[in-house]
Amino acid sequence: MKLFPQNIPAFAALFMFMIAESPTSVAAKGFLVERRGSIRGSLDASSFERELNTALGEALGSGGSADLERRLAEVQQRLAPIWSTLPKNGAGNVERRSLRYLVHRHFSRQSALQIRGFEPSRPANASGWGSDDILAQRVPAFVEAFLESNHKLERGFNLGDAARVVATIEQLIFDFEGSVLQKVYEDQRKPLSRSLSRQGMEQLLESYMVRWMLGEDEEGIRVLSKDPKLLRESIPHWDQIVSFANGQAKALDYRRQQSPTAALAAGEARPGHNTLAPKYSFEDVHGVVGGITKSFASFWDSECRSMKSTLVDMDTHHTGRVPLSKFYSHGLDTEWRFGESEEYLRDLGALDETSLRGKQVIIPNYIQATSNCIISAQHYLVCCVNDCDGVFDEIESQIGSPSAEPIQILAVIGNMSAHGSSLDEDHAPQLEGSLTSQLELISSAHGGQVPLHGRLFAQWLHYAFPRECPFPHK
């Protein structure tokens, strides 16, 4: 996936190098502001619940408790298929590690977002929730009073707790997008209270995309904003990216046209802001950029597919692996993107050094690497869609419990349609033989059942779907 051409300017090259060579780096603190509807982390624990309820309610357009309850119910419904397959204690609750995993899977499935602090490779911290995740940074009162309370640590977390965490993170991301948008308004000297014309909103969205994609690189933002030619050379498919952003605005117009009453109720229109009088408030534009975050991975998926196709063409043994020498030689010849150092690939968990064929790059681990995430924001990354999510979704929906007998799992896999562009009927899992015996071996160590969310089953899935499912090293 070519993010920037080879003649990339020095400042942009440095920007990409900082992303590619810093898998665990945390972005600068940024410029989050406290606006109406935002969650403020300075509150004491007793006031936090009221603030959270108000903020989530206002995000829905009214702030009423009924709207908040409906929002949380919707989140619970989305979480339910994964929740049903997580291991639980005697009270029917999950431990903190499983809660982290549930949150990660939710955002990965919904929008291909990786929330900082919730990465699957991150070990659970027994002494604290963590200092680098979005919750600890923005709402420490929530972490202290809810996530780290003795009651929760002893009893575990229920589905309602998980929904509250997800809804809180969604609101914090929305607040962050609002702060970036506010900075763009300030750059263009537009008052937040001023309604924009369609042309004014399109100009603002273009500037927003530059700032959103470059993050805290203020020098890069300044230079590219003044030089449209350099902007197009530095960010590939820039015109398509702008069209995508404007398409989100057109979707708002469509909703206003098709259902004016519903648009008013959802806060997407107001008196004087409709299809007959196309004006856009700060809140309107805020909603548009929120949609950009949620759908950008789908827009960018063709780039990820192209990169994966290139790697699959080098996987002549159908093992989901590319010899390191071939990986580098191809990068030198045509695809500059394949230039990560051997040490960095090892840190990512994308390097297999156990094969008799020599060192090899693991395709799904590499595709999911932070170096291939197109957006690196303060609290999250927008990455390539994880093909294994589709595989796991089908297993979870069919099994519906934390564990299953090998025969049940094999039946689900056997009936599963091909997932991902690189897996066709000719390369479907060959379940007879070693895959079956390995699954039975896992079950024999767990009373005849295979835990669906254990490391051994994740490894088994990788060998069943070597080009789709990452290999779990820990």
Side-chain angles (χ1 to χ4, degrees):
M1 178 172 58
K2 282 191 177 181
L3 297 181
F4 291 84
Q6 286 185 325
N7 61 347
I8 180 174
F11 71 85
L14 178 60
F15 164 72
M16 289 307 300
F17 174 80
M18 290 171 64
I19 295 177
E21 295 295 327
S22 303
T24 60
S25 66
V26 177
K29 291 185 177 180
F31 35 77
L32 283 169
V33 294
E34 296 180 353
R35 301 191 66 260
R36 176 181 178 274
S38 66
I39 299 176
R40 296 189 291 273
S42 59
L43 298 172
D44 57 43
S46 63
S47 302
F48 178 80
E49 188 74 12
R50 292 195 305 274
E51 179 72 8
L52 176 60
N53 289 348
T54 300
L56 292 177
E58 287 178 352
L60 292 169
S62 67
S65 60
D67 287 332
L68 175 58
E69 291 174 3
R70 183 166 58 252
R71 164 73 174 275
L72 293 176
E74 291 172 353
V75 175
Q76 287 191 42
Q77 186 176 11
R78 297 200 303 267
L79 296 176
I82 307 176
W83 174 266
S84 66
T85 63
L86 292 176
K88 301 174 182 69
N89 59 23
N93 298 332
V94 301
E95 63 177 11
R96 185 166 55 192
R97 182 186 294 273
S98 293
L99 178 62
R100 281 190 184 278
Y101 172 79
L102 178 61
V103 172
H104 165 76
R105 276 286 305 284
H106 169 77
F107 284 99
S108 176
R109 294 167 70 229
Q110 292 291 311
S111 307
L113 295 183
Q114 289 190 22
I115 307 300
R116 294 191 188 275
F118 288 83
E119 300 89 343
S121 60
R122 174 195 173 101
N125 186 346
S127 62
W129 185 255
S131 60
D132 59 349
D133 63 60
I134 187 172
L135 296 175
Q137 288 187 1
R138 301 305 305 161
V139 286
F142 182 46
V143 173
E144 180 180 357
F146 180 62
L147 296 176
E148 292 188 342
S149 68
N150 289 333
H151 174 74
K152 289 299 179 186
L153 293 180
E154 292 172 2
R155 295 277 297 173
F157 301 89
N158 60 35
L159 180 57
D161 297 332
R164 178 55 56 86
V165 171
V166 167
T168 303
I169 293 175
E170 287 177 341
Q171 179 64 33
L172 290 170
I173 289 175
F174 193 63
D175 293 346
F176 169 75
E177 293 158 351
S179 71
V180 178
L181 183 61
Q182 180 172 335
K183 187 66 171 64
V184 176
Y185 268 76
E186 293 171 356
D187 291 343
Q188 298 189 5
R189 294 180 172 83
K190 288 182 170 66
L192 299 183
S193 58
R194 177 189 298 174
S195 294
L196 303 177
S197 65
R198 180 57 183 270
Q199 182 180 5
M201 182 172 68
E202 291 182 353
Q203 291 174 348
L204 192 140
L205 285 176
E206 183 169 351
S207 297
Y208 175 86
M209 295 304 293
V210 174
R211 182 167 287 280
W212 187 55
M213 297 186 76
L214 267 65
E216 297 298 317
D217 183 6
E218 293 291 339
E219 177 64 13
I221 293 169
R222 185 186 65 80
V223 173
L224 292 184
S225 297
K226 291 182 177 181
D227 191 336
K229 182 175 182 295
L230 184 61
L231 176 60
R232 287 179 173 82
E233 292 175 351
S234 300
I235 303 180
H237 313 301
W238 175 248
D239 289 336
Q240 292 94 320
I241 290 173
V242 172
S243 295
F244 161 76
N246 291 335
Q248 297 295 307
K250 291 179 182 177
L252 171 61
D253 290 339
Y254 179 81
R255 292 191 295 271
R256 286 178 171 180
Q257 180 180 10
Q258 293 298 307
S259 183
T261 303
L264 282 168
E268 294 181 331
R270 53 194 48 78
H273 290 198
N274 50 55
T275 53
L276 298 178
K279 296 291 184 180
Y280 308 90
S281 66
F282 179 91
E283 286 72 23
D284 294 333
V285 186
H286 192 182
V288 170
V289 301
I292 288 173
T293 299
K294 293 176 182 177
S295 58
F296 193 78
S298 297
F299 162 76
W300 198 255
D301 191 55
S302 61
E303 288 296 305
C304 295
R305 295 295 168 194
S306 175
M307 176 177 63
K308 182 174 180 178
S309 178
T310 300
L311 293 171
V312 166
D313 288 343
M314 293 186 278
D315 177 23
T316 56
H317 297 284
H318 309 295
T319 61
R321 285 158 171 74
V322 174
L324 185 61
S325 57
K326 187 180 292 186
F327 177 84
Y328 282 138
S329 64
H330 190 89
L332 290 173
D333 292 340
T334 58
E335 181 67 66
W336 81 272
R337 187 63 176 157
F338 301 150
E340 291 88 347
S341 68
E342 183 176 326
E343 180 181 2
Y344 180 61
L345 291 172
R346 185 179 298 112
D347 290 340
L348 290 173
L351 187 63
D352 181 1
E353 301 181 84
T354 65
S355 174
L356 295 177
R357 298 188 178 99
K359 297 178 181 179
Q360 301 182 89
V361 176
I362 308 173
I363 292 176
N365 292 59
Y366 179 77
I367 295 293
Q368 288 298 303
T370 54
S371 59
N372 292 315
C373 296
I374 182 58
I375 304 296
S376 180
Q378 181 181 356
H379 297 305
Y380 61 86
L381 302 98
V382 182
C383 304
C384 292
V385 173
N386 187 344
D387 289 332
C388 199
D389 280 341
V391 175
F392 236 129
D393 285 349
E394 192 158 347
I395 294 172
E396 289 166 335
S397 65
Q398 294 296 318
I399 300 297
S401 61
S403 61
E405 296 179 356
I407 191 171
Q408 294 176 276
I409 296 173
L410 291 170
V412 172
I413 299 295
N415 292 329
M416 191 178 295
S417 57
H419 286 273
S421 61
S422 68
L423 185 64
D424 53 30
E425 293 182 358
D426 294 334
H427 300 145
Q430 301 299 311
L431 299 178
E432 301 82 4
S434 61
L435 282 177
T436 295
S437 61
Q438 289 168 7
L439 199 61
E440 291 173 344
L441 192 61
I442 296 173
S443 70
S444 66
H446 296 87
Q449 297 280 312
V450 176
L452 297 186
H453 293 289
R455 181 177 59 86
L456 293 178
F457 183 62
Q459 289 182 350
W460 185 89
L461 269 184
H462 168 71
Y463 290 114
F465 299 93
R467 294 172 173 174
E468 326 303 323
C469 295
F471 182 85
H473 293 276
K474 298 180 181 179

